[in-house]
Amino acid sequence: MASKKYVYFFGEGSKEMKKLLGGKGANLSEMTNIGLPVPPGFTITTEVCNLFYELGEKYPEGLNEQIDENLKKLEVEMGMTFGDKENPLLVSVRSGAAISMPGMMDTVLNLGLNDTTIDSLIKKTGNKRFSWDSYRRFIQMFGDVVMEVERDKFEEALQAIKSKNKVKLDTELSADNLKELVSEYKKIIKKEKGISFPQDPKEQLKMSIDAVFGSWNNKRAITYRNLHDIPHNIGTAVNVQVMVFGNMGNNSGTGVAFTRDPATGENVEYGEYLINAQGEDVVAGIRTPKPISNLKKEMPGIFNQLIDIFKKLEQHYTDTQDLEFTIQEGKLYMLQTRTGKRTAGAALKIAVDMVNEGLIDKKTAVLRVEPEQLDQLLHKQLDEKSKANAELVAKGLPASPGAALGRVVFDADDAVKESKNREVILVRTETSPEDIEGMAVAQGILTARGGMTSHAAVVARGMGKCCVAGCEDIKVFEEEQYFTASGKKVKKGDWVTLDGSTGEVFLGRIPVVDPEVTGDFEIFMDWVNEFKTIGVRANADTPKDSEIALKFRAEGIGLCRTEHMFFESDRIKAVRKMIVASNEKERRKALMALLPIQKNDFIEIFKVMKGLPVTIRLLDPPLHEFLPTEDEDIKEIAKELGLEFRELKATIVSLHEMNPMLGHRGCRLSVTYPEILEMQTKAIFEAAIELTKQGYEVKPEVMIPLVGSVKEMRILKKQIIKIADELIKKSNVRFDYKVGTMIEIPRACITADEIATEAEFFSFGTNDLTQLTFGFSRDDSGKFLPDYIEKGILDKDPFATLDEKGVGQFVKIGVEKGRKARKDIKIGICGEHGGDPDSIKFCHKIGMDYVSCSPFRVPIARLAAAQAALEEI
Ligand code: PEP
Ligand code: MG
């Protein structure tokens, strides 16, 4: 029986086959098919990688034969042979998963060189120096990634030869120096591993393929996948491709480019290149490359050909591409193309521009921007005024936008440690994939070397994290833990501020301000609104929050937590008086003092919201939360309230609860102390009446928290309506209002049909509902949830993304039962999940009317809602 097809020659696959061929392999096939100059090669599928692990690091039957067949085909096509004395075939071996994982897995270049083929390479190229340099690079890479010899050993040997010959740069080494280095490298391998560097190219190839498949499960690749939510079972493909050399002299070079600017989205060529260099030199950030626009002067023919290819690729893929190319002795070759990663600002601009250019439709544009990515756009920026007076000490490349401030650390482990207690900025000469965990926890990243496409820049942009790269104004002393800039010494623990949008580095702390969003953002968000069917409201407790919510076009307030107003300094005293009151009369007196303050809060919020619905929740937390716990504070407050210390302490002790989250809170407070509900209802309706009289439109929705029984709802609703209707009648005005409830107790979901006979709206409080469904304390889950995720018991934090299987089923039942009992019931969600794209998609699917989230997440929620609607079509 013929074995399954495990190997595809370039051209046999297509861009649709990413899952099987990996992104790189699929696109190399596609570029070959559309006639672009791609050096030939073949791809070993991701399926082989998965089988390799399933079979205990063994390959499936028939694979070796297929590799041999394709190698033969390559040899015939090139007229070259592996290990041939006259015309040796040289190849690269690279990884390539379906989802790009830059720099995380292994690569081997110049494979096929050995002590014999080196002579033919010299003869063929007439370039001794180039040939020996290629050989020593190959041994170095092979030694490092395939044979796992410590990288530093090769670096030391290179430094030693440079010192011996009194040169500074690698490029100053002569052919003989490099030849000597080759023999040093071979000795290192023999010494470290006890075996010789393999001379047989087939053996080299086999070992390299093993290493690339093996690198799928190296530590940094696993960390990267965990950080980016990439499944561990998709595997990588391996691409074997004929080598082209960018280091054959000054008519050769290598570069990376984007078809549009990935930072701003502008439709201009963008990228960088190095003359006389190999691909890895650009990405590794070892030499600082030149901007691609410079190529126009240096190699006009190649530049024009590249621009044509940009256009062709964009038309073909209808998206911005990120590509790698090599120029070998004046001839251009394409080595990779993939969808270009971009900042949120660029993503919006590109989406809007491409619709205007007729390349894509609005629907595609809306589906193309990641909702979470918008967060970057809404990131804080440095306050311009303070920035003008701040101490600017260096300027690098604006690699990833936003502002970041923190204390300086110089290695990734330190960043992980220190970030537990403080904000840190990771400063490195250059970053490497091993730094990934440190980068993830840092506020921002600063590197002295590397370009816009260096590791630091690419990874930071992917993380939406502020990054200044290639900042050659600073000198980093990693061992000694300090850097110098403008004659200043900045030590570990000192504060610095970065502006990732300009590349500026400041000493000290600069205040940050909220971002302004205009232009493309508005156009794009208009399209979003055309498609979304579910409403988006905001959780806002103050007029300021409400203003932000409205600016982001929230369609109302879905949750105003009135207790947040109680904590402000001008009212906490009255709140405490109310709590410590020993009888109803005293409590009412204290509440009377709170009434005008609370009324004023509602007046301001109603005014801002201009007639949009405002859902106001009655007091929810247990009362002891408003009282101090430390004796020192109790003494102070007792004095303030005119009480004895012992008296106040006794009250506090009496309010203590074993499980406050399950205790005297939510609607239970109103059941015990109806006067609290009375005061809050009065404040809401007096405010609404006053504004209505002044000509404002108001839509109050009074929400009762933590209901578990229809009877709670019935009793409390009756009290609210009585007060509200009396006030409205007396003042002779008209406006509609609603009384509804939060659904945040499992019993409320199960009896939602009963509750809906009283409630005019439901708002799912999925924070409490998650807590009560799992039995996980909201406040303590941080202690064990990370272990649950690491051990695979849970995929995600259920307090961040709604657990569809469990909590989601309660929500679904609640929605269905609620609607059955009251057809026009309004249903929304106001737990944290209301701002999470996946959870929003679920809410859309089960037919909610709206989601409500924090003001800054409103645009994210709107986009997720639109995508949910579009994905259904
Ligand atoms: C909830 O429980 O989901 C909710 C929104 O209320 P809180 O977080 O205030 O308990
Ligand atoms: Mg709650």
Side-chain angles (χ1 to χ4, degrees), residues 93 198 229 314 508 582 800:
V93 180
D229 267 343
E314 275 210 350
S582 51

Side-chain angles (χ1 to χ4, degrees), residues 445-571:
I445 296 138
L446 169 63
T447 68
R449 287 209 226 133
M452 289 294 280
T453 43
S454 63
H455 177 264
V458 171
V459 173
R461 274 204 295 275
M463 289 177 173
K465 188 155 289 204
C466 165
C467 174
V468 175
C471 184
E472 301 201 4
D473 295 348
I474 68 167
K475 209 162 179 258
V476 184
F477 299 87
E478 278 160 11
E479 286 285 299
E480 295 82 2
Q481 309 221 334
Y482 72 90
F483 75 83
T484 53
S486 302
K488 293 265 159 61
K489 188 169 172 180
V490 184
K491 297 188 296 297
K492 183 182 168 188
D494 289 349
W495 282 94
V496 295
T497 302
L498 306 181
D499 187 334
S501 312
T502 60
E504 290 163 307
V505 181
F506 302 91
L507 290 192
R509 289 188 272 183
I510 303 177
V512 289
V513 291
D514 295 334
E516 279 293 320
V517 278
T518 48
D520 292 324
F521 181 81
E522 288 305 328
I523 297 170
F524 182 80
M525 292 314 279
D526 276 345
W527 298 345
V528 163
N529 274 11
E530 280 177 32
F531 297 115
K532 86 174 180 53
T533 53
I534 190 170
V536 176
R537 296 194 189 183
N539 294 355
D541 314 321
T542 63
K544 186 164 179 279
D545 283 355
S546 310
E547 267 166 32
I548 298 171
L550 205 63
K551 192 173 88 185
F552 290 135
R553 292 160 65 181
E555 293 150 72
I557 289 180
L559 173 64
C560 171
R561 292 175 162 108
T562 50
E563 64 269 18
H564 288 180
M565 301 164 163
F566 281 15
F567 282 105
E568 279 174 36
S569 55
D570 61 337
R571 49 197 83 176

Side-chain angles (χ1 to χ4, degrees), residues 47 478 565 787 789:
E47 210 176 348
E478 278 160 11
M565 301 164 163
D787 298 326
I789 290 161

Side-chain angles (χ1 to χ4, degrees), residues 539 559 561 563-564 617 620 661 665 703 706 742-744 763-770 778 829-833:
N539 294 355
L559 173 64
R561 292 175 162 108
E563 64 269 18
H564 288 180
R617 180 176 75 182
D620 181 40
M661 273 297 180
R665 60 171 286 223
M703 180 153 77
L706 222 68
M742 294 199 64
I743 301 285
E744 47 189 345
S763 178
F764 282 86
T766 43
N767 302 335
D768 273 311
L769 190 58
T770 301
R778 283 163 68 169
I829 179 174
C830 64
E832 283 311 296
H833 308 92

